[in-house]
Amino acid sequence: MGLEKEDIKYQIDTGVLFNLLKDNWKRIDREFLINTVWTAYKIVANYEEFGGKIDHEVLDTEVKKDIAIRKFNFQLKVSLEDDCFPFPDFCFIDRKNKVRYFSESYFIERGDENYDLFFALQISLSDFMSVSELLEFHFKSDFDSKFEEYDEFLENLFLKYKNSLLANLESLRFRMRNKFISNGSNFEIQNGIEKKEFTLARQVLMVHYLLKNLGISPDINKTEIARFIQFLTGKELNSKNIKNTNIYKKVGSPFSLTDKATQKDLQFIRSYFENLGLNDIVNQINAEINSNK
């Protein structure tokens, strides 16, 4: 994959992350670092193919082996102290014939083992001011600008690591959605219209007029109408009882509690019916709007 020079810094480089980790490790749960992060780095260290040539320190003499082992054991002992970095910065591979330092660069790509962990580490350890650019880079390079796929990955990522790494869950997701959708992604916002415009109240209103013009009275069966709207909108799917949903409540009273809100909602949905040439519904909406003036 060809990368612009300024984008290379956003690749997931385990060496860069390790150096950042050593400077900022106290922000992260110690047990998580030992049990999860250290394990991931040992897995990376055992890879034999690196996407670029990595020179290992070869322990070809007993003296070198002895020095390396002493250094490793010293770091291991020091790491037991609560105020010290919780694991050594290198490990032995190939039966201790070579040493792999965690600060060496290895670029993690989507599909690699522990991709999600290193992705979360990168977000957590990066300058917060650069997070939007970092997320946009991976959106394009790792997910081919497929927003729904990326959004699902990030949702799962944040749920998995929100307590250990990603404390700024809500802020990051809000920034991510605004960043990509405002840049033209056809997801939940288009042409500058924000997701908040597509409210449940307006969706219920639209179905109210559609059913009315099909000759179906909203008083026939509110439960079935609510289930119909639930299916169309995909909202409140986890509710065990449809009668306890906001959908059901709005079906019983589709117009807003204030005239001002009703006017705004009716004006918003009217354009959709106008574009479809459903003039009977447009006239009904106009009559409702005029009655509230």
Side-chain angles (χ1 to χ4, degrees):
M1 176 183 63
L3 296 173
E4 297 293 333
K5 185 175 181 180
E6 61 269 23
D7 285 338
I8 294 176
K9 62 182 179 180
Y10 295 126
Q11 286 184 282
I12 302 176
D13 184 333
T14 62
V16 171
L17 290 180
F18 185 77
N19 290 328
L20 288 172
L21 191 63
K22 292 201 73 173
D23 291 335
N24 300 280
W25 66 270
K26 290 185 178 180
R27 291 162 34 187
I28 303 173
D29 178 73
R30 187 178 182 82
E31 292 301 314
F32 178 80
L33 288 171
I34 296 171
N35 297 327
T36 303
V37 177
W38 189 14
T39 298
Y41 267 99
K42 285 187 283 189
I43 290 173
V44 169
N46 279 286
Y47 284 145
E48 292 299 325
E49 296 181 4
F50 294 101
K53 185 177 180 181
I54 300 293
D55 293 324
H56 298 85
E57 180 181 339
V58 180
L59 304 179
D60 54 0
T61 68
E62 290 301 320
V63 174
K64 285 185 178 180
K65 287 183 183 179
D66 183 63
I67 292 174
I69 291 171
R70 286 174 180 271
K71 181 179 178 181
F72 180 84
N73 288 335
F74 174 76
Q75 287 193 5
L76 192 60
K77 182 179 180 179
V78 171
S79 69
L80 297 176
E81 301 293 330
D82 289 341
D83 60 344
C84 295
F85 189 71
F87 57 86
D89 61 9
F90 68 97
C91 71
F92 300 101
I93 60 175
D94 294 341
R95 297 184 180 180
K96 299 184 180 180
N97 289 326
K98 296 180 181 179
V99 171
R100 172 70 197 273
Y101 289 90
F102 298 144
S103 57
E104 296 175 39
S105 289
Y106 176 73
F107 294 100
I108 296 289
E109 297 180 351
R110 189 181 178 194
D112 288 342
E113 190 169 2
N114 290 310
Y115 169 79
D116 61 323
L117 172 62
F118 285 111
F119 192 110
L121 275 172
Q122 185 182 39
I123 293 175
S124 177
L125 296 172
S126 294
D127 182 347
F128 195 74
M129 297 299 290
S130 68
V131 167
S132 291
E133 287 73 21
L134 188 156
L135 289 171
E136 184 174 14
F137 168 77
H138 291 296
F139 172 51
K140 295 175 180 178
S141 67
D142 296 2
F143 290 83
D144 298 323
S145 299
K146 296 176 182 177
F147 188 86
E148 293 189 44
E149 186 177 338
Y150 191 41
D151 186 52
E152 182 180 4
F153 166 77
L154 288 177
E155 181 177 10
N156 292 333
L157 185 84
F158 292 142
L159 288 174
K160 184 175 181 179
Y161 295 112
K162 65 180 180 180
N163 295 324
S164 52
L165 288 174
L166 303 176
N168 296 310
L169 164 64
E170 295 302 326
S171 177
L172 286 172
R173 292 215 71 206
F174 176 78
R175 291 178 66 188
M176 178 273 298
R177 283 174 173 269
N178 279 353
K179 180 77 175 180
F180 303 133
I181 295 173
S182 64
N183 281 351
S185 174
N186 293 320
F187 187 59
E188 291 173 284
I189 300 178
Q190 296 180 10
N191 301 325
I193 301 176
E194 297 185 14
K195 181 183 176 183
K196 66 181 181 181
E197 298 290 329
F198 300 102
T199 64
L200 178 61
R202 291 171 178 178
Q203 291 168 333
V204 171
L205 262 180
M206 293 188 77
V207 173
H208 167 81
Y209 280 107
L210 285 172
L211 294 180
K212 181 179 179 180
N213 280 265
L214 288 173
I216 300 174
S217 170
D219 298 322
I220 291 178
N221 194 325
K222 292 186 178 67
T223 300
E224 291 307 316
I225 293 174
R227 288 198 178 107
F228 179 72
I229 295 173
Q230 185 184 51
F231 171 78
L232 288 179
T233 63
K235 293 182 177 178
E236 298 185 299
L237 294 175
N238 294 325
S239 299
K240 295 181 179 179
N241 189 339
I242 191 69
K243 291 186 178 180
N244 293 331
T245 64
N246 290 318
I247 297 174
Y248 183 85
K249 295 174 184 177
K250 291 185 181 298
V251 166
S253 181
F255 296 96
S256 302
L257 297 178
T258 66
D259 290 344
K260 186 176 180 180
T262 296
Q263 294 281 81
K264 190 174 181 180
D265 289 345
L266 289 170
Q267 290 168 359
F268 183 86
I269 69 170
R270 179 176 58 186
S271 63
Y272 288 88
F273 292 116
E274 287 175 337
N275 293 336
L276 291 173
L278 298 174
N279 295 325
D280 289 342
I281 296 179
V282 173
N283 292 334
Q284 292 170 28
I285 293 174
N286 285 335
E288 186 66 36
I289 291 173
N290 292 331
S291 70
N292 289 318
K293 287 184 178 180

